[in-house]
Amino acid sequence: MVTTYEKKWLPRDLIAGIVLTTLLVPQGMAYAELAGLPPITGLYTSILCLLAYFVFGPSKVLVLGPDSSLGPMIAAVVVPMVMAGGDQEKAVALASVLALLVGIFMTVAAVAKLGFVADLLSHPTQLGYVNGLAVTILIGQLPKLFGFSTEGDGLFDDVKGFVTGLGDTVPAALAIGAGGLAVILVLQKFLPKVPAILVAVVGAIAAVTIWDLDVAVVGPLPQGFPPLTIPLVSLDEFGILAAAAVGITLVSVTDTISTASTFAERNGQEVRGNQEMAGIGAANLAAGLFQGFPVSTSGSRTAVAFAAGAKTQVTGLVGAAAITLMLLFVPGLLKDMPQPMLAAVVIAASFGLADIKGMVRLWRQRRMEFMLALAAFVGVAVVGVLPGIAVAVALSVLNVFRRVWWPYRAVLGKPAGVDGYHDLQQYPDGAQLPGLVMFRFDAPLIFANARTFREEIRHLAQDGTRWILVAAEPITDVDTTAADMLEELDEELNAKGISLVFAEMKNPVKQKIDRYGLTRTIDPAHFYPTLDDAVAAYERSHG
């Protein structure tokens, strides 16, 4: 990039980098607390991931950093392990190992060209998952917004803890938190070009300082650049972290491909999925070696940088440098930031995650996919964030299997005034030749749907039927289980005086049919290149 960088881009990248910093600092600190870690780790993570992606990342505008969707996942694995006998240093070590594992998994996936794994989370299940995540984040941050703390395991415990703890509300904390949240939401809606989070944070710090409010604050941050640290954990802890890293990697890849696609279209670029994974893998490895935690692409921060005129990753480099300078020379700049303000930043992010309109659209357009989204939502809300990932992936895979298991089937006819043969449900007046049934099966023919295919053909084999003509173009594969079924079915139909005939079968599928030896029972002449050829042959043979 250095050799192709144009000087005219520098002013825009510098301005965008400064604007981006105003978002990176408060969000980084807030998302660190969301992950159950000290706020300073959010700044360390932001610096290192931006530097690493500057070197290895392929996109010109994507911004990486601590992410609201990953925070609860990190907390779900780190917090219980710390509560079992650890401290904040232990939590940081666990999170750093988690980042290293995510980085390794990302890098391996990039080398193996496994970018397609992002497809394991379909849009409906992803929609349900992020909505469940948004509710989980919101409920978990409410006590901090009200100035008290609770201990709970799961969404229902968090709700119960919040309700029972309302008597311990700190009015000053609630005023700061709710006021800051209102400022963020109002400015984002009506004045989107104004840095809403910066305005709210500065206002909250000013209020605490001027009126000396009794509110929990962040306190002084450690001075200096984050030190290189090799995190150490036990073998048992490593196993738990490795399992969690798989889920975090999947979510991070899915989020990255989605965000990269959106902004690549705006810039006229192409998404290079495997290179993106390599870049994010490097970012996670760098963060893990400097007391950081797993990171992902941030849609909100990328949008801010893009709107501010960012042209290249120099924008991220400026952001990393600005944070580093703050830690080196003015580490006490944010010591009076109220904790309820951090909660407000996280809650605002949860509102951005939620997509109620998307759920409503699914309800109107496709009820089955709405049910999948709802199941993923319930999975996150009831069984937890990390198990919710497994639920979402399982639902996506099962939905694919369902479509193959029960594909769309149609009996075809020839409508008047329309070329070709079409579904009789769409054209009920379509003409059919006596004794000829044309049948279309819209899926590869495999073990999962072989029984379905056989039962449909048996249902069509009525008295007077002479040919059952399969429009085979949608059949992209025939496995050995289906081949055995076809052989038995053909013999069964022949005994009734009915021929099983195929048209428009793809050549690779026909080659498999020949290799299976099915033409021993199915007449080789009963494979036609087009439906018209098959119909003409039927008319010649049956009059």
Side-chain angles (χ1 to χ4, degrees):
M1 186 185 73
V2 176
T3 57
T4 59
Y5 192 81
E6 299 182 20
K7 291 182 179 180
K8 64 181 180 181
W9 295 341
L10 185 59
R12 303 186 70 175
D13 281 341
L14 287 174
I15 294 171
I18 298 301
V19 172
L20 182 63
T21 304
T22 64
L23 189 63
L24 290 172
V25 173
Q27 276 195 345
M29 298 172 71
Y31 295 165
E33 290 218 332
L34 177 62
L37 301 167
I40 185 63
T41 59
L43 301 185
Y44 290 165
T45 302
S46 298
I47 294 171
L48 271 304
C49 73
L50 289 172
L51 291 175
Y53 193 80
F54 171 79
V55 177
F56 297 102
S59 172
K60 290 184 177 181
V61 296
L62 284 187
V63 178
L64 270 63
D67 189 64
S68 57
S69 62
L70 298 189
M73 300 177 68
I74 299 167
V77 63
V78 169
V79 172
M81 295 171 73
V82 171
M83 292 176 63
D87 53 21
Q88 287 289 283
E89 290 185 3
K90 181 68 172 179
V92 172
L94 292 169
S96 295
V97 172
L98 198 56
L100 291 173
L101 288 169
V102 171
I104 292 171
F105 292 162
M106 283 279 193
T107 305
V108 170
V111 172
K113 302 186 184 303
L114 298 178
F116 65 88
V117 298
D119 299 333
L120 290 178
L121 275 176
S122 67
H123 178 69
T125 51
Q126 189 178 356
L127 187 63
Y129 169 78
V130 296
N131 278 317
L133 201 60
V135 171
T136 301
I137 293 172
L138 174 64
I139 299 300
Q141 293 296 308
L142 281 177
K144 188 186 295 184
L145 191 78
F146 280 67
F148 62 90
S149 61
T150 61
E151 291 186 5
D153 183 18
L155 181 65
F156 297 115
D157 283 347
D158 287 342
V159 172
K160 181 180 178 182
F162 171 68
V163 173
T164 56
L166 283 174
D168 298 325
T169 298
V170 178
L174 180 58
I176 290 291
L181 179 60
V183 169
I184 293 172
L185 296 179
V186 169
L187 289 179
Q188 286 179 342
K189 182 172 180 61
F190 297 105
L191 296 171
K193 292 187 178 181
V194 175
I197 293 178
L198 177 63
V199 172
V201 166
V202 171
I205 293 175
V208 169
T209 304
I210 294 172
W211 290 296
D212 193 24
L213 299 177
D214 185 18
V215 177
V217 295
V218 171
L221 298 176
Q223 186 173 19
F225 194 80
L228 173 65
T229 306
I230 306 299
L232 300 175
V233 296
S234 69
L235 190 59
D236 290 341
E237 291 169 336
F238 184 85
I240 297 172
L241 293 171
V246 173
I248 292 175
T249 300
L250 178 60
V251 171
S252 183
V253 169
T254 304
D255 189 34
T256 296
I257 298 300
S258 175
T259 305
S261 300
T262 300
F263 286 93
E265 290 177 2
R266 298 182 186 181
N267 286 329
Q269 300 173 351
E270 293 184 2
V271 176
R272 293 177 287 172
N274 294 310
Q275 287 89 337
E276 286 293 353
M277 287 194 296
I280 299 175
N284 277 281
L285 289 171
L289 291 173
F290 288 86
Q291 301 183 20
F293 52 87
V295 298
S296 180
T297 302
S298 169
S300 62
R301 289 188 286 274
T302 301
V304 167
F306 185 81
K311 303 298 292 183
T312 69
Q313 283 299 323
V314 170
T315 297
L317 191 62
V318 172
I323 298 172
T324 302
L325 291 174
M326 184 193 76
L327 293 178
L328 287 173
F329 300 109
V330 282
L333 183 65
L334 300 174
K335 64 182 177 62
D336 292 326
M337 183 188 292
Q339 293 282 0
M341 188 63 242
L342 293 181
V345 171
V346 174
I347 290 175
S350 74
F351 289 156
L353 274 179
D355 187 358
I356 306 303
K357 290 182 179 179
M359 295 290 284
V360 172
R361 180 174 62 84
L362 284 182
W363 172 259
R364 291 174 177 172
Q365 295 179 351
R366 198 175 178 98
R367 296 290 172 87
M368 177 56 72
E369 293 194 351
F370 171 82
M371 298 305 295
L372 287 172
L374 185 62
F377 173 87
V378 173
V380 173
V382 174
V383 302
V385 176
L386 285 172
I389 283 287
V391 170
V393 171
L395 288 173
S396 295
V397 174
L398 285 174
N399 188 37
V400 174
F401 188 74
R402 177 189 64 84
R403 292 177 180 179
V404 175
W405 192 1
W406 294 310
Y408 187 77
R409 289 92 71 190
V411 175
L412 308 181
K414 190 173 182 59
V418 181
D419 291 336
Y421 302 89
H422 300 276
D423 187 352
L424 289 179
Q425 289 190 8
Q426 185 178 2
Y427 296 95
D429 297 331
Q432 294 178 278
L433 289 177
L436 174 64
V437 177
M438 284 185 282
F439 173 66
R440 194 183 70 216
F441 192 78
D442 293 349
L445 194 52
I446 60 174
F447 70 95
N449 57 31
R451 180 187 295 272
T452 302
F453 181 91
R454 181 177 61 194
E455 295 306 314
E456 287 286 341
I457 295 296
R458 283 175 173 172
H459 176 72
L460 296 173
Q462 305 294 329
D463 291 340
T465 300
R466 297 178 178 180
W467 272 23
I468 295 180
L469 172 58
V470 179
E473 185 178 17
I475 300 178
T476 56
D477 191 20
V478 175
D479 70 4
T480 55
T481 302
D484 292 341
M485 177 275 297
L486 288 175
E487 185 173 9
E488 296 172 1
L489 180 62
D490 185 62
E491 292 175 348
E492 178 183 322
L493 293 175
N494 288 340
K496 297 180 180 180
I498 300 173
S499 296
L500 185 61
V501 183
F502 296 87
E504 299 182 341
M505 180 174 283
K506 292 178 170 60
N507 190 55
V509 180
K510 180 61 169 59
Q511 289 175 352
K512 290 181 181 180
I513 293 290
D514 293 336
R515 190 161 61 246
Y516 297 150
L518 279 180
T519 49
R520 294 192 310 268
T521 56
I522 302 177
D523 189 342
H526 283 171
F527 291 88
Y528 294 92
T530 68
L531 286 172
D532 284 332
D533 290 333
V535 171
Y538 177 79
E539 290 177 326
R540 286 194 301 270
S541 61
H542 293 85

